[in-house]
Amino acid sequence: MNLFTEASEKDQSANQPLAYRMRPRTLDEYIGQDAIIGKGRLLRRAIQADQLSSVIFYGPPGTGKTTLARVIANTTKRHFSTLNAVLSGVKELRYEIEEARQRLELYNRGTILFIDEVHRWNKSQQDALLPWVENGTVILIGATTENPYFEVNAALVSRSRIFQLKSLENEDLLAIARQALADKERGYGNYRVTFEDQALEHLVEIANGDARSLLNALQLAVETSTEHFPPANGKEIFISKDAAEQSIQKKAVLYDKEGDYHFDVISAFIKSVRGSDPDATLYWLARMVSAGEDPKFIFRRMLISACEDVGLADPNAIVVVQADAEAFERIGLPEGRFHLTHAALYLATTEKSNSTLAFFDALKGVEQQAQDEVPNHLRDASRDAKGFGHGQGYLYPHSYQDHWVAQQYLPSGLQGKVFYQPSNQGYEKNIQEKVQRHREEQLESVEVDAFVENLTFSPGDKQRQQWVNRTVSERGKLLSTVRTTLFESVQFRRSDRVLVCNAGHGLLLWEAFRKTAEGLVVAQVQSKDQLDHINHYADSLPELEKPQVHLADLKKLVASLEEDMRFEIIIGRNVFSRAREEQQLCTALASRLARQGSLHLCESVPSKGSRLSDFLPPDLKPMFIQAEQLLYGEPTNALTNWDEEYLQSMFEAENLFAVVTSLDLTEQRMMGSDDIKRYMVSSYLPSFEKLGLEVDATALQRRLEDQLANRALHWRHHLAFVHASRQPITIYERDEKGTGAFAAVVKKVHGGN
């Protein structure tokens, strides 16, 4: 039976639950889940275009999975059928498949099959559906409260797009409640319903993100707060806070020891421990204990964490957790909760180190590299010392000062390879310097052998040559660092809408595209060549999933977008090259930021990078410095009359919190004769003339060519990274080289100060 047919809609009566009556019929009525169904999102575009492919909706109860299926049923021109996996099996499925097959053959009309609680079907039942999804007989919409990657056949998952629905925000629930109170056809719009202060808010709060729970509680509160329902015409229905509290007694604890929430909650607990947050640790521990989680399971995870997350920063952690676990075995519940808490708080508050993960780096080295021979001096001397000389040359550490001597322990091909990185926390801090010092001496002790091997052109030489080859493409390395630095500051969600400014040939675009599979990427380019290049790579993508690429002026593009289109992320490179002329563009971009959106830009600051004079001999340098002072100091030169401070002021003028960080990157740059000629004609010769310096242009250019042409110049670029948001932000600066992890430098912006 199709529960979503028009006939079913007409049969609805006042006896049906409010939650059923108020299910949205169109996308415009749908409230919440903006991350997947909001303006511009992939799913919304697919529904509006009636081009939906197989999807699986995954999320807690009451988040709108079935409702969204209902909206699709009301929108699509395809036939819409539904099955409930709890009540149906292979027999019912075969019937629906046969009907869909005939419908397609006789009338060329496709079928969408909605299966609620799809995870309840076993493997054979899901397998029976697979061929018909694969050949296009049906388009599947599955709904599940369990993680589909674990509970749905991998073959079905691979042929479907997964959309995760989150628990609704309180503001969404409040909007749903008010919608029900105002609706005269399906809700309580014909009645005068009023609430005591905070009564409605209490219903929303306790509903715990579940719209169905909220509407059920609202129905109970409304229909029991009057002597007779419906009340006499004009009579007020007043809902007190006490009535609201009785209508919705307690938040439901979403927890199934065999289901997805079981793993989500334990994951949150361990991550809180790892993050040294004792309050969050206690909250998730209480969630588990309250839901009846097995304490042995919790202790097992804490024993793992004691070595994985604490490790050698506090070697006593494993001892404490083990002692608490043994004490719990003796005492049991309820008093054993003290030992659970003791162990959890100890882990959450002690120093942290994940250096034990070094094992997996070593394992990867074993799996990916050829298995080198054990060095002769490390071999077992008890068996083959006489025949092969095994063990000869071994230095016994205990015979030396401090019980240590520098010698080779790794295979020859792995000399210098580092697996273990001691942290600077707790006990491990005490051994960090010792380990590093030993390594330096160790490498130096084998340097002679390495030198001899290089003379024989050993395999080690090939590795060195590969390293040299990697350093040739300096430009690519620089751009890669720019991209990495920008994206390290951006927290992407798969449903985000992204605007890529000055997208070029796709340096930032494709990275953003990969991170927003259910979102939208809009990109602006400045040339047809860039447009054609990006479209070439996008041609193989389904039409609905392609990034929207526009050859246009950025300001005009932003103005032409739909009025209510907002972006969670705006990102770009060299967007404000003429910053003092671009305040209007800054205003336009700020107006397109979503409420929680952020803007991330990388801008080259010409006035602070390398100049030609940096590479000239002493006799030429002074005159070129004079010219550059004139060039870069000209107030009307839009390319050079701004810096990081001005960029920050631009965005702060738009009432955004802004942080600007700087990074110097060096590029190995080859300069040709044409480059030198261009520099001279466009910049330096006019400046010499303004300064009253007489020069022989031809002779000077020839001299520069002799000095600079076809030489690798280490050209320094001064980059400004702009991060702006409507909310206070924290940005971690990279180190000076721009190649390592973020340094421990934190800049915070609070309250605009």
Side-chain angles (χ1 to χ4, degrees):
M1 178 183 176
N2 184 356
L3 300 179
F4 298 131
T5 60
E6 188 175 340
S8 175
E9 291 277 352
K10 292 179 179 179
D11 288 341
Q12 290 185 10
S13 71
N15 293 326
Q16 292 174 321
L18 178 66
Y20 184 89
R21 301 198 307 267
M22 290 305 301
R23 279 181 173 170
R25 297 161 293 191
T26 66
L27 284 172
D28 291 335
E29 290 182 359
Y30 196 94
I31 296 173
Q33 307 301 341
D34 181 73
I36 66 167
I37 207 70
K39 181 75 76 173
R41 310 289 192 194
L42 174 64
L43 182 58
R44 189 183 189 96
R45 302 199 308 272
I47 295 172
Q48 290 174 331
D50 200 9
Q51 294 184 22
L52 195 70
S53 57
S54 292
V55 297
I56 296 176
F57 298 141
Y58 156 52
T63 52
K65 301 182 296 295
T66 305
T67 296
L68 195 49
R70 182 188 180 97
V71 169
I72 294 169
N74 293 336
T75 306
T76 184
K77 294 178 181 177
R78 297 178 175 89
H79 181 80
F80 197 94
S81 298
T82 185
L83 291 173
N84 189 302
V86 177
L87 305 174
S88 311
V90 174
K91 178 182 177 182
E92 290 79 8
L93 174 62
R94 286 173 177 167
Y95 174 81
E96 292 293 346
I97 294 297
E98 181 61 23
E99 289 287 303
R101 192 183 61 79
Q102 293 187 21
R103 201 176 292 118
L104 191 62
E105 290 179 357
L106 298 176
Y107 308 107
N108 197 30
R109 188 183 182 194
T111 297
I112 294 177
L113 179 61
F114 173 63
I115 302 177
D116 202 6
E117 304 288 341
V118 65
H119 64 279
R120 299 295 187 106
W121 272 355
N122 59 35
K123 185 177 184 303
S124 62
Q125 291 172 311
Q126 293 182 31
D127 283 345
L129 174 63
L130 179 61
W132 309 106
V133 172
E134 196 166 39
N135 66 20
T137 302
V138 297
I139 291 172
L140 169 69
I141 299 179
T144 174
T145 57
E146 302 295 336
N147 192 327
Y149 291 104
F150 297 121
E151 302 298 333
V152 180
N153 282 7
L156 273 180
V157 170
S158 69
R159 290 160 176 81
S160 308
R161 184 175 288 277
I162 310 296
F163 290 96
Q164 184 176 3
L165 283 72
K166 303 285 189 176
S167 296
L168 296 176
E169 301 289 338
N170 283 356
E171 60 186 41
D172 296 327
L173 292 176
L174 198 58
I176 290 171
R178 287 170 175 164
Q179 186 185 60
L181 292 168
D183 193 303
K184 294 184 178 181
E185 178 188 352
R186 299 174 295 161
Y188 299 120
N190 293 317
Y191 310 113
R192 208 156 51 90
V193 182
T194 60
F195 291 82
E196 185 181 355
D197 188 40
Q198 296 301 308
L200 182 58
E201 287 77 8
H202 177 78
L203 292 179
V204 167
E205 178 66 28
I206 304 301
N208 205 27
D210 186 334
R212 188 184 300 112
S213 174
L214 169 68
L215 290 173
N216 288 340
L218 180 63
Q219 182 177 12
L220 186 62
V222 170
E223 298 184 11
T224 60
S225 293
T226 181
E227 189 174 347
H228 300 287
F229 188 86
N233 289 340
K235 185 176 180 181
E236 179 187 46
I237 300 176
F238 177 74
I239 300 172
S240 65
K241 191 172 180 181
D242 182 62
E245 289 174 349
Q246 292 181 32
S247 299
I248 188 165
Q249 294 289 329
K250 182 180 179 182
K251 286 188 178 183
V253 179
L254 295 174
Y255 201 88
D256 179 353
K257 287 191 281 185
E258 301 299 323
D260 196 42
Y261 289 100
H262 160 77
F263 297 102
D264 285 344
V265 174
I266 191 65
S267 174
F269 170 70
I270 292 299
K271 287 173 180 174
S272 300
V273 168
R274 184 179 298 141
S276 300
D277 188 329
D279 301 305
T281 296
L282 289 178
Y283 172 79
W284 295 116
L285 178 63
R287 270 279 287 266
M288 289 187 290
V289 173
S290 175
E293 181 61 85
D294 184 357
K296 292 180 180 179
F297 172 72
I298 302 173
F299 272 120
R300 281 199 300 271
R301 296 301 299 265
M302 286 196 288
L303 284 167
I304 296 169
S305 181
C307 290
E308 179 186 353
D309 300 312
V310 177
L312 289 177
D314 185 352
N316 284 322
I318 184 73
V319 179
V320 171
V321 177
Q322 179 64 27
D324 278 320
E326 291 177 359
F328 183 91
E329 287 293 315
R330 289 189 176 188
I331 296 169
L333 291 172
E335 289 87 352
R337 290 178 291 186
F338 291 115
H339 300 86
L340 277 167
T341 305
H342 181 263
L345 286 176
Y346 188 95
L347 292 179
T349 56
T350 195
E351 294 90 347
K352 303 293 190 301
S353 171
N354 68 342
S355 58
T356 54
L357 294 178
F359 168 78
F360 298 98
D361 292 332
L363 186 62
K364 188 182 296 182
V366 171
E367 293 171 345
Q368 295 182 352
Q369 298 181 14
Q371 304 300 301
D372 291 355
E373 293 287 334
V374 176
N376 188 66
H377 65 285
L378 298 184
R379 295 188 178 188
D380 183 7
S382 64
R383 296 181 297 128
D384 300 315
K386 291 183 179 180
F388 297 101
H390 289 176
Q392 290 184 8
Y394 173 64
L395 306 177
Y396 188 58
H398 296 297
S399 300
Y400 294 83
Q401 186 178 356
D402 298 327
H403 299 263
W404 184 84
V405 60
Q407 63 182 325
Q408 177 182 343
Y409 290 105
L410 278 168
S412 297
L414 292 175
Q415 284 302 310
K417 182 70 174 177
V418 173
F419 297 116
Y420 172 56
Q421 289 283 14
S423 75
N424 61 355
Q425 300 297 308
Y427 168 79
E428 207 166 21
K429 183 178 182 179
N430 301 326
I431 65 174
Q432 183 184 50
E433 184 180 344
K434 180 173 67 176
V435 170
Q436 290 174 343
R437 188 177 73 250
H438 282 180
R439 278 179 180 152
E440 293 165 3
E441 296 174 20
Q442 202 89 310
L443 287 173
E444 190 166 346
S445 74
V446 299
E447 192 64 34
V448 175
D449 292 337
F451 181 70
V452 173
E453 282 197 15
N454 287 336
L455 290 180
T456 66
F457 299 98
S458 70
D461 259 4
K462 294 179 182 178
Q463 294 178 354
R464 178 172 293 189
Q465 187 59 46
Q466 289 174 357
W467 181 85
V468 172
N469 292 339
R470 285 198 299 270
T471 66
V472 172
S473 180
E474 291 283 331
R475 180 51 118 182
K477 181 181 176 183
L478 184 143
L479 292 175
S480 176
T481 302
V482 168
R483 178 174 60 193
T484 300
T485 306
L486 264 179
F487 279 85
E488 280 174 330
S489 304
V490 185
Q491 298 296 319
F492 283 95
R493 297 177 301 177
R494 290 172 61 84
S495 59
D496 280 344
R497 294 160 295 198
V498 183
L499 174 62
V500 185
C501 309
N502 195 17
H505 291 84
L507 177 75
L508 306 179
L509 184 154
W510 293 116
E511 187 71 13
F513 180 79
R514 283 189 287 272
K515 294 177 180 291
T516 55
E518 281 82 47
L520 171 71
V521 176
V522 178
Q524 172 259 343
V525 297
Q526 296 181 332
S527 71
K528 188 176 183 303
D529 173 64
Q530 294 171 347
L531 179 67
D532 292 343
H533 183 86
I534 292 172
N535 284 337
H536 172 74
Y537 284 96
D539 280 345
S540 61
L541 293 169
E543 193 62 37
L544 284 172
E545 297 182 26
K546 290 181 179 180
Q548 297 180 9
V549 189
H550 303 269
L551 173 56
D553 174 77
L554 181 57
K555 199 184 305 178
K556 291 180 179 178
L557 171 64
V558 171
S560 69
L561 296 172
E562 293 180 70
E563 186 177 346
D564 55 349
M565 177 63 77
R566 298 292 184 271
F567 297 92
E568 281 72 31
I569 305 288
I570 297 177
I571 196 164
R573 187 171 67 89
N574 292 336
V575 177
F576 290 92
S577 300
R578 309 173 74 90
R580 290 188 183 271
E581 299 176 356
E582 297 291 2
Q583 190 65 51
Q584 287 185 346
L585 175 59
C586 186
T587 302
L589 291 177
S591 71
R592 292 293 181 172
L593 275 178
R595 187 179 60 181
Q596 300 293 330
S598 58
L599 180 144
H600 307 268
L601 302 172
C602 174
E603 301 291 335
S604 297
V605 186
S607 61
K608 295 186 177 182
S610 284
R611 302 178 182 184
L612 206 59
S613 63
D614 296 337
F615 308 98
L616 296 178
D619 62 316
L620 291 178
K621 190 183 287 284
M623 62 185 292
F624 275 81
I625 289 176
Q626 288 185 63
E628 287 162 355
Q629 288 173 343
L630 184 64
L631 284 167
Y632 291 99
E634 174 59 52
T636 60
N637 187 344
L639 293 173
T640 60
N641 63 1
W642 57 273
D643 55 15
E644 299 99 312
E645 287 76 16
Y646 184 79
L647 284 175
Q648 182 163 341
S649 69
M650 287 178 66
F651 290 94
E652 289 179 345
E654 304 300 331
N655 294 317
L656 298 176
F657 295 95
V659 170
V660 180
T661 62
S662 301
L663 183 64
D664 283 339
L665 294 179
T666 302
E667 171 194 6
Q668 188 169 283
R669 183 171 178 179
M670 300 295 291
M671 187 172 292
S673 298
D674 290 341
D675 297 316
I676 293 170
K677 183 178 179 180
R678 177 170 51 84
Y679 273 125
M680 291 297 295
V681 173
S682 64
S683 301
Y684 285 94
L685 290 178
S687 297
F688 292 149
E689 188 176 345
K690 288 181 181 178
L691 291 167
L693 299 175
E694 294 184 9
V695 297
D696 184 337
T698 304
L700 183 59
Q701 184 172 326
R702 191 179 300 117
R703 177 84 187 280
L704 290 179
E705 289 177 2
D706 293 340
Q707 189 72 32
L708 302 177
N710 301 317
R711 266 186 57 197
L713 305 178
H714 293 282
W715 198 275
R716 180 174 52 83
H717 298 271
H718 188 81
L719 304 177
F721 291 88
V722 181
H723 313 276
S725 171
R726 302 190 189 282
Q727 312 295 326
I729 54 180
T730 301
I731 296 294
Y732 296 81
E733 286 187 327
R734 289 178 71 86
D735 59 31
E736 292 179 356
K737 297 180 181 178
T739 55
F742 276 91
V745 179
V746 184
K747 294 189 176 183
K748 294 183 179 179
V749 180
H750 293 293
N753 297 325

